[in-house]
Amino acid sequence: MALRLLLSACKHQQPLLTKQLLPAACAVLQAAPSVIHAPAAGLLQQATASFRSSSLALSSDLSSILAKEIKHEKAVAEKSDVVAAGPPAPFVLHSKLGDTAVSLTRDFKGEKISVDCSVNMQDSLGGLPLGGEEGEEEAEDDDEAADVQFNVTVTKGDKALVFECISDGTYLDIRHVSLEPAEGNDSDTVFTGPVFNELDDELQDALRQYIAERGINEDMGEYLRHLMFDREQEEYVHWLEGVKSFVGSS
């Protein structure tokens, strides 16, 4: 009975059920009298061959679906004009495919300025308007989707000021400021700074002006939010291609 159920599952392309039934069918075959070994073995051989054929068919279907999705994503991909124009001068962009983090760097009067941003840092990128009525309507419905979060590090000597920032391209605000060792803070108990919004208003404005003098402004926010959207799309296609390659090699 187990062997016939197995063959039926294979014929109807039910690979999960087939996988479950194979051990039981093998056990039946081992326990069966020698007089029925031949026909039973024949059924098991048919079932195994059918299972392999079904698995290959499903793998082929997945590969073709992945190829279709890759083709679609590449066809609709459109690089943002903001990103195509390059980062705000004089910053230099550092990024590589397969890594969602990017860094923009520059020197300023003996200081090292680094702007660090990652697709993984963002709450959402789905509503970013890239030039089209539909995207603009989505952004109006969900303002948070257009925000980009990033860190600015100003390094001088063995110390660094780290600014946690947010921008939607029309404004830029600071969420937190910490003073850390230049090599980074590896302790959870070190005081990293007060709540920014609880600082005196004059001090808040002075800190905003401090980073603005170093090129951290609304233009940087506008560039970063478009860059993150483009990078998310690039990484998605890269992921699809990796999965397709994996499936095709099995």
Side-chain angles (χ1 to χ4, degrees):
M1 177 62 72
L3 289 171
R4 296 191 182 280
L5 287 173
L6 175 64
L7 185 57
S8 176
C10 290
K11 285 182 177 180
H12 290 86
Q13 294 190 348
Q14 297 175 294
L16 293 179
L17 180 58
T18 302
K19 187 176 181 180
Q20 294 173 350
L21 289 171
L22 272 174
C26 291
V28 170
L29 180 59
Q30 292 174 353
S34 58
V35 293
I36 65 169
H37 272 192
L43 282 174
L44 182 59
Q45 186 176 11
Q46 292 178 51
T48 303
S50 180
F51 172 67
R52 289 173 179 169
S53 176
S54 298
S55 298
L56 288 173
L58 288 175
S59 178
S60 177
D61 287 345
L62 176 57
S63 183
S64 64
I65 291 171
L66 286 165
K68 181 179 178 180
E69 179 70 2
I70 292 169
K71 182 178 180 180
H72 168 75
E73 288 297 324
K74 289 185 174 181
V76 300
E78 184 176 351
K79 197 174 189 67
S80 164
D81 291 340
V82 175
V83 175
F91 283 92
V92 177
L93 174 65
H94 308 274
S95 67
K96 63 179 180 179
L97 194 60
D99 189 342
T100 66
V102 302
S103 179
L104 291 86
T105 60
R106 67 165 293 188
D107 294 331
F108 180 82
K109 297 181 179 179
E111 302 170 348
K112 298 291 184 182
I113 314 297
S114 177
V115 180
D116 301 294
C117 194
S118 169
V119 172
N120 295 342
M121 290 173 63
Q122 313 312 315
D123 294 330
S124 175
L125 294 168
L128 180 62
L130 292 183
E133 294 180 359
E134 182 178 352
E136 291 170 0
E137 290 173 359
E138 289 177 356
E140 289 174 1
D141 292 337
D142 187 1
D143 292 337
E144 283 297 316
D147 288 341
V148 62
Q149 301 176 57
F150 57 98
N151 293 339
V152 177
T153 303
V154 180
T155 303
K156 184 165 55 177
D158 61 353
K159 296 290 184 180
L161 270 179
V162 181
F163 298 79
E164 297 177 12
C165 301
I166 187 169
S167 175
D168 71 348
T170 63
Y171 82 98
L172 185 146
D173 203 7
I174 299 171
R175 294 288 181 86
H176 187 262
V177 183
S178 59
L179 179 63
E180 304 179 3
E183 64 273 14
N185 188 4
D186 57 1
S187 174
D188 294 332
T189 59
V190 173
F191 179 70
T192 59
V195 177
F196 186 79
N197 288 339
E198 294 180 359
L199 294 174
D200 180 81
D201 288 346
E202 186 177 12
L203 179 53
Q204 291 186 40
D205 290 340
L207 287 167
R208 293 189 185 98
Q209 182 61 31
Y210 178 86
I211 61 173
E213 291 173 353
R214 288 152 177 79
I216 312 303
N217 51 32
E218 292 83 358
D219 290 341
M220 176 63 74
E222 178 73 348
Y223 175 77
L224 286 175
R225 73 190 194 98
H226 283 271
L227 179 64
M228 287 297 98
F229 185 86
D230 280 12
R231 286 307 307 274
E232 193 274 338
Q233 293 298 104
E234 291 172 359
E235 291 298 337
Y236 176 54
V237 172
H238 182 60
W239 175 83
L240 287 171
E241 291 174 336
V243 174
K244 184 178 181 297
S245 176
F246 179 85
V247 171
S249 64
S250 59

